[in-house]
Amino acid sequence: MFPLSPDAVLSRLAPLARTPLATLPTPLLPAPALAASLRGDIDISIKADAWTGLGLGGNKVRKLEYELDPARLRGATDLVTAGGPHSNHCRVTAAAAARLGLGCTLAVNGEPGDAGRGNALLHRLLGARIVTVADRAAREAAMTEEASRIAGMGGKALVVAVGASTPRGALGYVRAAAEMREQVSAGDCPAPRRNPPAIRGAPDDSGARSEAPVWIFTSSSSGGTLAGLMLGCALMGWRAQLVGVSPDDPAAKIRAAATEIALGAAALLPHPPRGPDPRANDLIERVRNVAAATLVTDAFVGPGYGAPTRTAEEAIALFGARAGVILDPVYTGKAAAALIAWVREGVVPSGAHVILLHTGGHPALFR
Ligand SMILES: *Cc1c(COP(=O)(O)O)cnc(C)c1O
């Protein structure tokens, strides 16, 4: 049964309902001038998930498509979620609520500083009701309390997990992995150079013609995005080298979270029609192997979450000037800093096709 083609992955996902919110597929943008300015022997592309559309886009849109499954939405009058005062997740959830004709309450830990700027401004423009709580630890209780308040008024709240990083939400990035695989083999992006060695000597078992080794860098925090990519690669037997770059937590924590979410997402996939899938364990094994081969780094966090770093500032300037792509300082700037450093230091092998998954976050530039 494995490996699956990208189309077969989509068929496997088809019985799992989603609410369409994103503008898909997002383009895979070649960045030849950027690549040439770093090293002559690699290609770079940007997977533009900053352009998923809803509420200024970003990676939360794909995750919410599954998190807001029509069955879970049935009877709901409100969405309730939580995040920081400049949360991208809160922005997109508020936009989804508005699009779906629902109310939205956000439990926000801390004051934004300037509520008239960045995501704090957008949360209000999208019509969300904002409840300020003392700290991160107080968010869960506040969400429960808001849900009961809404129930008390005859409504019904759907509580959306922080970051939508649940097994269900991660399915959005299984789709994204299939989309990228398709774009890479269709040559929507640069052709393979010379005859590069396969990553770690492991042949790609997805049956595709020989291709350059693919390295995919993504910012990873609550782990749902990376988890979906892991499961997608496991389903397709795609030996893309995944790299998760932390904007905040220690690498070990992110790896553990992403692995657990990926295994949970694998368990949601329907079994093939004739009874239990005898090779279900094969998929679990595959996910574990991909997770073990995934690189996770916290070397680019700098002083902390949201704190500027010299390397992220350089990355933002370089992607802007050499690729016409605008990154953000909190997440994608740090992921791109890792990409640049690993390309320069030769961690990324000659002949590689390097992809930055652009997860969004632009409003942080304007806060
Ligand atoms: C939320 C977010 C991330 C992290 O994604 P996870 O799925 O939580 O790991 C990365 N980049 C941006 C711009 C985000 O908003």
Side-chain angles (χ1 to χ4, degrees):
M1 183 182 64
F2 297 115
L4 301 180
S5 67
D7 276 349
V9 169
L10 297 185
S11 315
R12 203 79 196 282
L13 288 172
L16 294 153
R18 70 191 169 111
T19 295
L21 297 169
T23 306
L24 300 178
T26 59
L28 185 64
L29 307 166
L34 174 64
S37 74
L38 291 174
R39 237 172 78 182
D41 62 346
I42 55 150
D43 289 310
I44 297 180
S45 304
I46 295 137
K47 177 63 172 168
D49 271 16
W51 303 352
T52 49
L54 180 72
L56 295 186
N59 64 339
K60 303 308 182 296
V61 185
R62 287 190 195 259
K63 295 197 280 182
L64 282 176
E65 287 201 326
Y66 281 98
E67 200 49 29
L68 302 180
D69 166 349
R72 303 184 74 220
L73 278 178
R74 202 163 300 133
T77 58
D78 291 78
L79 302 182
V80 174
T81 197
H86 284 285
S87 161
N88 295 313
H89 165 70
C90 285
R91 164 175 44 87
V92 174
T93 304
R99 166 86 65 91
L100 298 168
L102 305 172
C104 182
T105 299
L106 304 174
V108 168
N109 54 283
E111 298 288 344
D114 187 343
R117 300 172 67 83
N119 277 324
L121 166 65
L122 298 172
H123 295 163
R124 287 191 294 114
L125 290 183
L126 290 163
R129 178 170 174 273
I130 292 154
V131 177
T132 305
V133 301
D135 50 32
R136 279 167 165 248
R139 298 194 299 207
E140 289 296 328
M143 287 195 285
T144 310
E145 197 176 307
E146 286 306 311
S148 354
R149 183 188 59 79
I150 289 161
M153 298 189 322
K156 184 179 166 216
L158 174 60
V159 175
V160 179
V162 174
S165 277
T166 59
R168 186 173 292 283
L171 297 175
Y173 273 88
V174 176
R175 287 186 85 83
E179 201 178 289
M180 264 193 278
R181 180 84 188 91
E182 189 69 46
Q183 288 171 319
V184 167
S185 16
D188 283 16
C189 44
R193 295 157 185 265
R194 58 194 67 91
N195 253 341
I199 294 166
R200 291 182 186 164
D204 188 310
D205 72 351
S206 63
R209 66 189 155 73
S210 161
E211 277 168 359
V214 173
W215 282 55
I216 302 172
F217 285 76
T218 181
S219 176
S220 178
S221 177
S222 57
T225 303
L226 186 58
L229 296 180
M230 285 174 173
L231 176 54
C233 287
L235 287 164
M236 295 184 285
W238 189 20
R239 311 262 171 181
Q241 175 63 64
L242 301 177
V243 184
V245 185
S246 171
D248 45 22
D249 286 332
K253 184 176 170 189
I254 291 173
R255 174 194 296 285
T259 305
E260 192 183 324
I261 296 169
L263 291 168
L268 291 176
L269 294 180
H271 293 302
R274 265 172 296 170
D277 179 357
R279 290 201 239 173
N281 290 333
D282 184 22
L283 179 57
I284 299 297
E285 185 67 21
R286 279 172 168 266
V287 172
R288 287 198 187 285
N289 289 341
V290 172
T294 295
L295 301 170
V296 183
T297 175
D298 52 20
F300 298 85
V301 176
Y305 177 73
T309 62
R310 194 188 48 75
T311 54
E313 279 165 10
E314 188 210 359
I316 293 168
L318 210 55
F319 273 68
R322 303 278 181 174
V325 166
I326 295 163
L327 303 178
D328 85 288
V330 181
Y331 296 96
T332 56
K334 289 178 181 177
L339 181 156
I340 290 169
W342 288 14
V343 163
R344 281 189 181 141
E345 291 162 14
V347 178
V348 171
S350 176
H353 179 184
V354 187
I355 299 173
L356 177 73
L357 174 59
H358 190 337
T359 46
H362 293 127
L365 286 167
F366 307 105
R367 62 193 240 191

